[in-house]
Amino acid sequence: MAKATIDLSATREIKAARDPKTNKLGKLAPCAPSELERAKGSPHMDGLETKGNVGEGGMRDFAGGRRPEPIAPSLSPGGAGNGNRNESGTARPAKKSKIFAADLPHGDDVLGLTAALQPLAELAVHCDTEAPLTIGLLGGPGSGKSFALAKLVAQIEALSTIEPGSAEATFLNPIASLKIDALELSGELPAVALAGALYDELAGAFPDLAREAAHAVRDPLVVAREAAEQLDIGRRRLDTERQNLAEIESRRARLTETILFEQPGSQIDAYARANRAKIESRLEGFGITGDAIQNYKSMLRDIAESGGASARAGAALRSFWAFKGQTRLLVTAVILILVGLGCDAASTHQTAWLAWLRGANQAFAPSAAWLAANVAWLEVVKQFAFVGAGLAIAANLWRGGRFMRPFFRGIRLLEAEVAARRRDLDGLYAHQMRRVDALAADVELIGRRAAEADRRAASAGTLGADHHVEPSPFANLTPKSQAERFFGAISGAIQRGWRGGTPVTATALPRRILVALDNVDCLPQPKASELLGAARRAFDHAGFVTLIAADPARLTAAMPADSSQDRRAALEKWVQVPFRIGAGLDDGRYAALVDHALGRSETIQTEAVRPRSQLGTLDWSISAEESNLLTALAPLAGQSPRAVKRFVNLYRIARAQAPADKAILGFMLALDQGGSSAEIATVEKALATGEPDSAFVIEQGNPRLDLALARVWANQHVTAGAARRAAAIAQGFSLRG
């Protein structure tokens, strides 16, 4: 384990000691003491002491000639070894480190991609950039393509945060960014899948644009007819549901009558039929004839619908006087009470009325004498009269209570059943009300869409309704063709919208649409080619910027190994601006990668995505001297307009990495774009020789190379080191394998 814990600074020193001409090891430079101290203090070196210096002992200690002897860890409290003590000897807390580095798509920018991707980010959202534009992030498996893609998208979004109309409004705002994983689209038609993903993104951020583009895909007259039909269907459904709601309201209003007369088997019906004889006899006793069950339910309905306890009490009191026999008993009781009262008054005032009777007429004298002798019978008659009145009233109450008892029982049963049924009906009514409200809202929305479709159809019929040209019968409106028309409609809506020629207001439109495709090379080669072809056709419209992260070797794996020109031509169809991830990776980056995997994040200097206000702006202008240089190098870059345009574009992007070596950088870019294999081999041979400070000279070149290099020498003094740096930068923007 001692070998594995030696810091990578030793390897850097060894590589630095190689002779640039022979590529052989020379005398090793001593390793810096700070590097060894850092290696000893790392979590992986705790408890170990490296004996001998790599520089001082040559390769003896590094190659295994002598193993470092382990030193037993200190048993002091806290378990801190010698490596966990500071200069004063006090223990310091041990630093936690990773034991396994996960392959995450986001993390520290160990490769230093932030600065390299900055020109691409500015290019994507610059107001003067012509779109469509396709940027390819190319690299092998595990090179960090997904990380670079996420970093580039974050930088673009940061650049687009500046508000329009300000003095620094160099970049477009707003933009719509869409991130697509190619593995999620593998089972569908690529064009349809891309259109669906873009529609979902725009529907949330820019709904007006998504709706306008979706309508523009189809013929406006057909859409208007379908919208009218949908409106008719929606209105019919709304009318039906409103009728159902009215029916439920009617059922709620006549719920009591429904339970009493229209629902056989209810509790009240069962009770009435079980006590039919008793109910019938009591009804007949009160002079109510006919169907006893119907009469009972009718009277029960009247009592139930009388409303309130006082009203029901009044209905119950009617049983004591409003039915047959009850009035007679009450009248009899009143008469008997009056008789009793009269007898009581006669007995009390007998002296007065007997004297009056004797003095009134001699003929009444015998009668007065007899009444005086039998006046005691008045008390007897009074008592019988009061007793009779009481019996009449008791009979009235008994008959009334006996008559109302089945009704009281029926009222309780009816109220319980009505309450249970009313809960169900109330729930059904609330559900139906919500359904009607939802349908009414849908009909209103469909009505607005139908009116909008009619407006589009009227705008499309420029010759009038009688002379409108029907859609082409040869139009193949498959989902694929509709998806491709969808992308064109989006681009057209954006262009017209910012000129004020579309119903969608400019505030509801993005200035540019960014589409990031990841994991394209994870698909089978035919599927990947199909997806890239669909993306090229879909996003080949004004306003689109496409970012593609892929392994070029896997994308062209089906092509013959010796057809490098065909491989490059295939990539050129898909990618306009290539960027190689990890091209020209120096040895220092390997040390940073190892430190990152070991969890020594404090040794990694990364640059986070900063707000637009903190970012500098690249100079995209071209001087007259640079223009003359590009003109001289154009024949070397290629013999086609596409090649020359690619060369100029890549030069404007790449020159930010070599501001002092622009001329030789332009030469290397032109050579990579249009140089032949022999020319490239000649330049590579020249790059492999010569001291860094020596003049860069190409031996056995051809007239085209000599002329181009002479033009470069007219602009700057080119050293071998500058040429190597320019070649490494140009390799980062190469489509060659």
Side-chain angles (χ1 to χ4, degrees):
M1 296 298 293
K3 294 180 182 180
T5 55
I6 297 296
D7 193 89
L8 288 179
S9 59
T11 64
R12 290 199 297 272
E13 297 294 337
I14 293 172
K15 290 185 178 181
R18 291 181 182 269
D19 186 82
K21 294 184 179 180
T22 62
N23 199 27
K24 295 181 179 180
L25 287 174
K27 184 178 179 180
L28 298 178
C31 184
S34 59
E35 296 290 337
L36 288 178
E37 290 298 328
R38 185 169 59 85
K40 288 182 180 181
S42 67
H44 302 280
M45 294 292 289
D46 289 348
L48 296 179
E49 181 179 4
T50 305
K51 297 208 174 172
N53 193 307
V54 175
E56 297 172 353
M59 292 294 293
R60 180 180 66 249
D61 299 338
F62 183 76
R66 182 172 61 192
R67 294 179 178 271
E69 299 178 1
I71 298 177
S74 174
L75 299 179
S76 59
N82 292 338
N84 285 333
R85 292 182 175 273
N86 54 23
E87 296 179 355
S88 62
T90 58
R92 58 189 178 192
K95 175 184 176 297
K96 292 185 178 180
S97 61
K98 301 175 185 175
I99 62 172
F100 189 84
D103 188 12
L104 299 176
H106 306 284
D108 295 330
D109 184 12
V110 185
L111 298 180
L113 293 174
T114 302
L117 294 175
Q118 180 66 23
L120 300 179
E122 294 197 8
L123 180 68
V125 288
H126 201 283
C127 60
D128 295 329
T129 300
E130 293 184 358
L133 172 67
T134 303
I135 300 175
L137 303 179
L138 310 178
S143 59
K145 299 183 297 296
S146 297
F147 172 80
L149 183 65
K151 176 70 70 174
L152 181 56
V153 171
Q155 287 180 300
I156 291 174
E157 292 176 347
L159 288 172
S160 64
T161 56
I162 187 171
E163 293 295 333
S166 62
E168 300 180 359
T170 308
F171 305 102
L172 299 179
N173 180 29
I175 65 169
S177 59
L178 171 64
K179 305 176 185 63
I180 300 177
D181 189 344
L183 293 176
E184 298 178 358
L185 309 178
S186 58
E188 307 178 32
L189 288 173
V192 178
L194 292 174
L198 181 58
Y199 180 84
D200 293 339
E201 177 67 24
L202 293 179
F206 304 96
D208 295 339
L209 174 61
R211 182 169 55 253
E212 185 74 17
H215 281 294
V217 169
R218 304 179 59 201
D219 180 72
L221 292 180
V222 175
V223 175
R225 285 195 294 267
E226 292 180 356
E229 293 176 359
Q230 292 179 358
L231 182 59
D232 292 339
I233 293 173
R235 286 174 176 172
R236 286 196 295 269
R237 289 182 59 190
L238 180 60
D239 292 340
T240 302
E241 297 301 332
R242 281 176 174 170
Q243 292 176 3
N244 294 337
L245 180 62
E247 182 181 355
I248 295 174
E249 289 178 340
S250 176
R251 288 169 59 186
R252 293 176 69 224
R254 54 187 181 89
L255 179 59
T256 302
E257 186 175 354
T258 300
I259 294 175
L260 288 173
F261 301 103
E262 299 178 10
Q263 185 179 351
S266 61
Q267 296 182 14
I268 189 64
D269 185 72
Y271 173 78
R273 296 187 183 281
N275 299 274
R276 182 185 184 94
K278 180 172 59 176
I279 293 174
E280 185 175 7
S281 64
R282 294 178 183 179
L283 290 177
E284 290 179 352
F286 276 73
I288 301 174
T289 58
D291 189 350
I293 300 299
Q294 292 296 323
N295 292 333
Y296 171 73
K297 290 182 177 180
S298 297
M299 297 180 67
L300 198 62
R301 178 193 58 194
D302 297 339
I303 296 174
E305 293 179 351
S306 58
S310 59
R312 294 186 180 183
L317 290 177
R318 293 178 60 250
S319 62
F320 299 107
W321 59 270
F323 297 103
K324 180 182 177 182
Q326 294 294 85
T327 305
R328 183 171 61 249
L329 289 175
L330 291 177
V331 172
T332 300
V334 170
I335 293 174
L336 290 176
I337 290 174
L338 292 177
V339 170
L341 292 175
C343 292
D344 181 69
S347 176
T348 302
H349 303 285
Q350 59 181 337
T351 303
W353 61 269
L354 285 175
W356 174 81
L357 187 61
R358 291 189 188 100
N361 194 338
Q362 291 296 328
F364 293 147
S367 299
W370 184 83
L371 290 173
N374 297 286
V375 72
W377 284 98
L378 292 175
E379 290 294 329
V380 176
V381 173
K382 182 182 73 172
Q383 294 298 329
F384 274 103
F386 285 141
V387 171
L391 291 175
I393 293 174
N396 180 277
L397 296 177
W398 176 78
R399 293 182 76 238
R402 183 169 174 268
F403 176 77
M404 291 300 298
R405 192 175 299 114
F407 291 96
F408 292 151
R409 174 62 176 171
I411 285 294
R412 289 195 297 272
L413 294 176
L414 181 62
E415 287 179 345
E417 192 159 2
V418 166
R421 290 293 305 278
R422 189 173 294 279
R423 284 195 299 270
D424 296 339
L425 280 178
D426 288 343
L428 182 60
Y429 179 81
H431 170 74
Q432 190 66 22
M433 179 64 75
R434 290 193 298 269
R435 184 172 179 80
V436 169
D437 293 341
L439 282 176
D442 291 343
V443 169
E444 183 180 359
L445 179 61
I446 294 173
R448 291 199 299 267
R449 291 178 179 174
E452 188 175 355
D454 290 338
R455 177 189 56 77
R456 290 193 185 93
S459 300
T462 55
L463 298 179
D466 297 335
H467 301 86
H468 179 73
V469 179
E470 292 294 329
S472 172
F474 307 104
N476 185 18
L477 292 180
T478 61
K480 179 180 178 182
S481 61
Q482 288 184 347
E484 293 176 351
R485 293 177 63 179
F486 173 72
F487 297 112
I490 289 178
S491 176
I494 292 177
Q495 299 303 312
R496 294 191 304 270
W498 286 100
R499 293 195 301 265
T502 182
V504 182
T505 60
T507 57
L509 289 172
R511 298 297 302 270
R512 189 155 290 171
I513 298 178
L514 178 70
V515 181
L517 285 175
D518 197 9
N519 294 325
V520 178
D521 50 359
C522 294
L523 301 177
Q525 199 277 334
K527 288 287 187 182
S529 299
E530 184 182 3
L531 175 59
L532 289 177
R536 179 171 175 265
R537 293 188 300 271
F539 307 130
D540 191 19
H541 300 282
F544 283 95
V545 173
T546 310
L547 309 179
I548 300 176
D551 181 1
R554 298 187 63 177
L555 294 180
T556 58
M559 297 182 180
D562 57 349
S563 59
S564 59
Q565 193 68 22
D566 295 339
R567 291 169 177 261
R568 181 182 175 187
L571 292 175
E572 285 181 349
K573 291 192 303 183
W574 298 326
V575 177
Q576 292 174 281
V577 180
F579 181 79
R580 293 273 179 174
I581 307 298
L585 190 67
D586 59 356
D587 295 343
R589 290 298 179 183
Y590 286 107
L593 287 170
V594 173
D595 288 343
H596 178 65
L598 295 178
R600 303 171 183 173
S601 58
E602 72 277 1
T603 64
I604 303 172
Q605 301 297 329
T606 62
E607 181 180 0
V609 177
R610 295 174 293 172
R612 169 68 190 94
S613 58
Q614 301 178 11
L615 291 172
T617 303
L618 297 178
D619 183 12
W620 292 92
S621 62
I622 296 292
S623 64
E625 183 180 359
E626 288 177 300
S627 177
N628 295 332
L629 173 66
L630 296 179
T631 302
L633 296 177
L636 179 61
Q639 301 298 323
S640 65
R642 175 188 294 177
V644 174
K645 287 173 61 177
R646 185 188 301 275
F647 163 63
V648 174
N649 291 334
L650 292 181
Y651 171 79
R652 301 183 76 166
I653 298 172
R655 64 176 181 164
Q657 300 185 29
D661 301 320
K662 296 179 182 179
I664 188 60
L665 176 60
F667 173 81
M668 294 299 176
L669 289 171
L671 179 67
D672 181 80
Q673 293 297 312
S676 64
S677 300
E679 291 173 337
I680 293 177
T682 301
V683 173
E684 288 179 348
K685 182 179 179 180
L687 290 172
T689 60
E691 295 294 334
D693 295 333
S694 63
F696 177 67
V697 182
I698 299 178
E699 298 179 358
Q700 298 178 354
N702 56 27
R704 189 168 72 154
L705 283 179
D706 294 340
L707 181 61
L709 188 59
R711 190 68 181 92
V712 172
W713 272 93
N715 284 268
Q716 74 171 90
H717 176 76
V718 183
T719 63
R724 293 182 187 123
R725 290 192 299 270
I729 295 174
Q731 182 63 28
F733 298 92
S734 175
L735 284 175
R736 298 179 183 270

